[in-house]
Amino acid sequence: MAKMGSRKHLKRYKSPKHWPIHPKEDKWTVKPAAGPHSIESSLPLLIVIRDILEIADNSREAKRILNNGEILVDGHVRKDYKFPVGFMDVIQIPKTGGNYRVLPDEKGRLVLHPIPEENVSFKLCKIEDKTIIKGGKTQLNLHDGKNCLSDESFSAGDVINLKLPEKEINDAIKFEEGNIGLVTGGKHIGEIGKIKEIIITKSARPNTAVIETAEKKTFLTLKDYVFVIGKEEPVISLPGGK
């Protein structure tokens, strides 16, 4: 039993701090399945349904809701209660009319931000890198494990507006000065602002970016922490009405 528990479950005290569960309520909690997001940057669907949205009183009810095909992630029905959802994923619950985008709050916790029906048909995905595949086509490898083909000229760090669930590219936002960025890591996680300067180093030190907030305050963060979300203004709504 101990071996099965360690395989299928996770000790509560070892769960990520952003999970909304009490470490002393029980010894075990659900362990996310291998998927598009790591344990540290995701939430298992069971916790989303039972502990965050509270549309189920217990694990059994949550599993029944999932088995009935009532939960969609990025336009696809997901029935695995261990399925990990993470940054920018779109969650739909047609039965209740609830629509959400997974985003970080100012404390770095993943939250389910309510979005209107017209916003469920797209998702912003950051290009992590590119691969040339058979036939000379360019494959874009995205932050959430997805990939898609494109003939256009994109660079790592650019963000594409992806149509769901078809995975067709609607638009793109370049990682460049003047565009709006959301900080996804470090001490400024959850903050947004205009990219004032991109600092490229010629050493082993990481590249950085200077971000200017709406209050005209500036701060420095790692380039990899900046996720562009718009040109003149964000194309998505954000927690706290930002």
Side-chain angles (χ1 to χ4, degrees), residues 31-208:
K31 183 178 182 179
H37 304 281
S38 66
I39 291 179
E40 295 75 18
S41 60
S42 67
L43 294 160
L45 272 180
L46 186 141
I47 287 179
V48 168
I49 295 168
R50 184 192 62 193
D51 302 286
I52 299 179
L53 297 178
E54 297 182 340
I55 59 176
D57 292 329
N58 50 53
S59 298
R60 182 178 295 179
E61 285 187 15
K63 291 175 183 178
R64 177 179 54 79
I65 289 171
L66 286 163
N67 287 332
N68 288 341
E70 297 178 28
I71 307 297
L72 283 75
V73 179
D74 291 348
H76 295 283
V77 171
R78 297 295 180 184
K79 295 186 177 183
D80 183 359
Y81 69 94
K82 302 184 298 295
F83 184 82
V85 295
F87 180 60
M88 285 292 172
D89 285 353
V90 175
I91 299 174
Q92 294 171 262
I93 312 175
K95 195 169 183 178
T96 66
N99 302 303
Y100 309 89
R101 196 182 304 277
V102 182
L103 294 168
D105 65 8
E106 68 281 355
K107 293 183 179 179
R109 300 169 300 193
L110 290 177
V111 298
L112 268 66
H113 177 60
I115 57 175
E117 182 69 30
E118 58 267 25
N119 283 181
V120 303
S121 61
F122 75 91
K123 176 182 182 179
L124 299 184
C125 293
K126 185 176 184 178
I127 300 172
E128 296 289 340
D129 55 54
K130 301 187 295 183
T131 306
I132 304 300
I133 61 174
K134 188 176 180 180
K137 294 184 178 181
T138 300
Q139 175 180 284
L140 306 178
N141 304 311
L142 309 176
H143 83 276
D144 64 349
K146 291 184 177 63
N147 55 65
C148 62
L149 300 179
S150 175
D151 295 326
E152 297 186 48
S153 177
F154 294 121
S155 301
D158 293 345
V159 166
I160 57 175
N161 182 316
L162 205 62
K163 182 179 180 181
L164 299 175
E166 296 87 350
K167 295 198 304 181
E168 297 173 357
I169 299 176
N170 291 323
D171 197 4
I173 310 168
K174 292 285 188 179
F175 184 89
E176 60 186 15
E177 293 173 5
N179 284 344
I180 306 297
L182 168 64
V183 181
T184 61
K187 66 179 181 179
H188 293 285
I189 189 169
E191 293 193 44
I192 66 166
K194 182 177 291 188
I195 302 172
K196 294 295 290 182
E197 184 181 3
I198 300 169
I199 303 170
I200 306 298
T201 62
K202 295 182 179 180
S203 65
R205 297 177 63 185
N207 299 325
T208 55

